[in-house]
Each structure stands twice: as C-alpha cells, then as structure tokens.
Amino acid sequence: MDIRMFEKHGVTAETVAAGRAARELELKRGEFELAAQLGHVRTTVVAGAGRRVVGRREVERREIERLRAADGFPDVLRERVRTVGTAEGAALMGISPGRFTRLAKAGYLTPVKFYLNRYRAVVWLYLADELVAFAAREETLLVGRFPRTLTAGRDPDDDVRPRNWRGRRIGHLLHLSEDPWERAAITGSVLDPVERAELVADPYERAYLSRLQPDLAYGRSESEAALAAVRPLLLADHPDEIRWHRASLTALLDEARRTRPAPRPARPGDVPPRPRLRHRPEPEPEPGFGPVASGSDGGGVPRPTAAHEPLWRGSGRGLLTRLRLRKEKERDPGRPVGSERP
C-alpha cells in the first residue's frame, strides 16, 4: 500500500507516493517530477520513512484534491510543465531555430531539463510558458541584428546552457531541502571530486556528503556511453561557477557542522555512553496487604502475619533468613514459621 500517514506539528495527514500521485493528477512521471520541482505540486517528506533522499517525496491527499478541483484540470497543470525542444520552441516564439539556438547559448533562454537521443547527442528542453513570456517581453531580440553586447567579445562556440541548467537544477533542489548536510551535498555535487577533497578534508564528512548527493540528471540511462556523454554536463566548468559553488559549499559546511557532526564509526577505546536509568516508582500495595491507618475504626485490612506473608514480597528480612524460614516450613508444615523448636 502506497498511502501513508505522518504527523507534522501535531496534525495527522494522509500522503500518497509519487507514482500514485502522478496517476491521480493525470501526469506522466517526468511531468510530475518537473511540477514538483517548480512548486506547482507541493510535496513533503514522511516522518519516520527513513533517511531522506533528495527528490523522493510524497504528496498529501488534500493537495491532490486541491489540484483536481482547480479549473481546467488537468490541461492547465499539464501546460505549466510542457517542455519543448529547439524546433518547437522556435515556432512558439516565431523565430528560426538558428536564432533560437544563439539566444539559448548566450544565456537568454534557460533549459529546464535534457535527454540523450539515439545518437547520444544532448537535447535541451525548455518550458513552453517561459518561451512565450520571453517572446512577449523581448521583442527586439526576435528580429533584426543581434545587439553588440550579445556578439562582442564572445566565442561563437561558447555555450552557457549546461551552466544555466546546473544553476537552475541546484536551485530547485535547495528549495526542497532544509537539512544543512543535504544542502551541502547538493551544492557540492557539481564540483569535481578533487575540488571537494580540497574543501572537505575529513574522509567521513566526504563519505556522508556522497551518500546524500542527489542525482542531478534523473531518469538517464546507466550505460557507460550515456554516462560518458552526460558527465561533462554535471560538473561546473567555468571559473566563476566553480568559485561560486566552492564558496557556497564552505558556508553550508560550517552551518552543517554546527548542527551535528557527520556520522563516523566508533574508534577502539571509545567508551559507550552509559544508559540513563529511569526512576522506577514503588509498586502500589496489593489489596489485602496494606497497613492499617492509625486511628482507623477497623475498616482497614490488618497486615498478615509472617506465617501468611509471601516470601517473594520481602518484608525487610535478609535473603538467608528467608531461605531458612522456607526450609523450616517444608520440614515441619504444622509449626509456625520462625518459632523456636520445643
């Protein structure tokens, strides 16, 4: 069953796993993930579900009901997350694919995701809503000659699309996370392992960050050829970008260390902490064995004699005394326990 219950601030709510939420919202899995990133579908982490994994979140039942009750469902929600490639995006903006590519390479259009085609070439995807809004806002960039600021001093082969996508993806993930160590892992995920090792000298901290590191390009193929094609897109490659993420990682690490240390194995000689013993209250007296209150009118129950008192209750005698009395009782059942022999 993929419906769970969780408590947050004393309120119990029903949550639905991502796969089922996508089906109920009539979205494809990729559309649902994008809607969650962009904040169109509010997600949450179930308390007690184990270690958090970035991006693996659930949806409250009331959030699904809110979206399904909205006007134009599901078409309006689908349109918000509709993505297009270069050809369809250029048609939406009324420009040529060549001009569209130049605008995207220069950083005017930021991709929201990508995939590899059958030739293992990177295909960038853009939000259709953003392209339409850009075309209405920047009409001067759609016709005529490009501004000098767009062409002067630039290498024609310079492409900022990977850099802009990384920045956007990191921003989405940071928005979804509140844990300092997880946020540090998100920021450090775009740095080369050598860069991370320079900033994080402790091997246990590096291992913890690696365990929390998100998959930036979710849903991609795991073949070696695909990994080789995607790997350059996942790492910061511009000096300004590297400096920015190094500074961000340093600040987030300081905050994470103040919050809690990274987990590490126990070292030989470490003394485990002593368990804190809770005070155990005295047991309530059993009916028929309580003392008579002074000054009572006889309504209380008198304390039984030693002959009738269970040995396991104690009565202040020592262990050896109680054992001796038990043996005397077994040898001579008719004699009162504790009496002198004739």
Side-chain angles (χ1 to χ4, degrees), residues 263-292:
R264 61 187 66 235
R267 293 173 297 182
D270 285 351
V271 178
R274 292 183 178 180
R276 298 183 61 181
L277 300 179
R278 297 182 179 178
H279 174 67
R280 179 176 298 174
E282 294 294 330
E284 294 292 332
E286 299 179 11
F289 289 88
V292 178

Side-chain angles (χ1 to χ4, degrees), residues 33-45:
E33 292 172 345
L34 189 54
Q37 286 184 40
L38 300 175
H40 299 317
V41 177
R42 294 193 293 264
T43 59
T44 187
V45 176

